[in-house]
Amino acid sequence: MTGHEDLDSLWRKARPDDLASLRRLDAALVRSGYQVRGKTVREWIAASAQDRIRWFDGREASDRILEAGLAAVPALVEALTRADAAASWQASLNLRGQCVAALGTITPLPTCAIPTLLDVLHQPVARVRRMALAVLARMRPRASTLALRAVLPCVEDPGDPQTRVLATQVLAAMQAPLPDEVRAAALARLADVHPAVRRAGLQVLTRFGQDEAALTAMEEHAILDDENRLEALRMLSGLAPSRAIPRLLELASSARARKRSGPAPLAWKGPLGETRRSEDGKKALLFIGQLGARGAQALASLDALRAVEVLAPYADAVIDDITRAVLRQQAPPLRTDRLKEPLCAALMADIMWPTESTPEPFEALRPWLASLVSSGAETKVRVALAATRRVLGLWETQHPNNDGPRRAVMAMDHWFVEPTEAHAAQVAELGNLTPSQFFAPDAFSAAWAVNHASRCLSRPAETDEDSLSACVQAACRALSRQSVITFALGTSQEPSEPLGPLEAAREVHRAILDEVLPWACGAWDPVRDPPRLRATLRADGWRVRGQPA
């Protein structure tokens, strides 16, 4: 019988990237008679073969395997390897699906199972291959000969576009460096008949940085592919802003009039064409805003687009985002002599983050927020505004034709510059919005963050932190793609993976510090300084010091 001290040592040494350490733990647990709710891990795995092939859905066998966590990995790997020995073809199929689902659900992800999952890609059942590819994309394998030999045939699968999409996403997720054959596979996918496959091919090309062939392919794709035009420009803008910005501005300008001089993209034809054209133009502006200081070359053109009524709020917003980024880039260091002042000390206070997974890591921020509220109404509004600004893009990229949340945030900015009752009333009016439950959870929560932020200003005399806590909580849940207040029924269009709840809470905390701390210690003001810089730049012909003309 293995002693408790030996087991504890093996648990501590268990690493998700080291199968040998997990096998030592598994052997020790087997000798000790380890069980999960009355059965061994292998018995639960055998029981799971009776369930339909699907992602884990709360059935008992699935829950018990997850309860074992990393200790179940060796048994899962064995079961995948020996699945053909199951009593029937259906049981073998179910067992493979359940094992793959378990390996993709256990946290932390057991990357030591990558070779076993790669072997699954040689199996004939498309559904199991797709499940394995989805897990591999999260595990980010190295671009080894073994991995490429298994994944590249799936990239070229002639009969299953979903397999091609997932396999291409695995290539995009592989750890660098990527060999030339991966670039060649991505370029070949740009000619695929399915838009999702072409989009995944573009994602792979972004991994090649400043490679001229990759940049040229993205640029050409932005011209030729109506379905992926925006995605191609978004990816290109992150790598080569000077090549993407003119095309993004052209796309935004096309929203100014019903008629265009040249042939319209296919996506803009038909009864919904004008709505789509407006959405594309606004999204193009938002992509420029996401470039930060690198988008400074677009400032003059953005100022001209403010004359277009449908674009005015977003053109204004993007100018503010760029000027704020320029100020942050040029800002002096924080004044250390003021970091011990009460507000700065409260902002810099350590957060007692949970050491284990909890349903709501945001709760760790609640005492911190309560300490900030005591610093006054202005601090409260600044904190809410910073949290809201961090997640506003989740709403805008999915509902660009609904600019209510953006107008509410801009009204809060105007109140800081000129704190009149009229501006406060405007914030209350614009912020009084209720998103539909049919929106995606991240957009739904982002809209609620704006709603609660506006309440922080409309009732500044209140000393409780309810509105502020509700705002920050909504922001945290937006980043982790969860809904607040009630459930949301929509599906997110965001291509990126949502953050985990703890990572989301940490991200919102960082966003608040980035915007509030410089003001608190007197370095610069991320709310009041952008309008001042904006006026200066306009008078100076929009020339930004340190940026290319």
Side-chain angles (χ1 to χ4, degrees), residues 199 202-203 228-236 287 495:
R199 190 177 309 121
L202 289 169
Q203 292 171 354
N228 289 310
R229 177 172 290 104
L230 275 170
E231 273 299 289
L233 287 174
R234 182 183 68 82
M235 296 176 190
L236 180 63
F287 293 157

Side-chain angles (χ1 to χ4, degrees), residues 418-438:
E418 191 178 350
T420 63
E421 290 186 6
H423 279 152
Q426 187 180 36
V427 171
E429 178 184 356
L430 293 173
N432 186 24
L433 49 92
T434 304
S436 167
Q437 287 179 239
F438 291 96

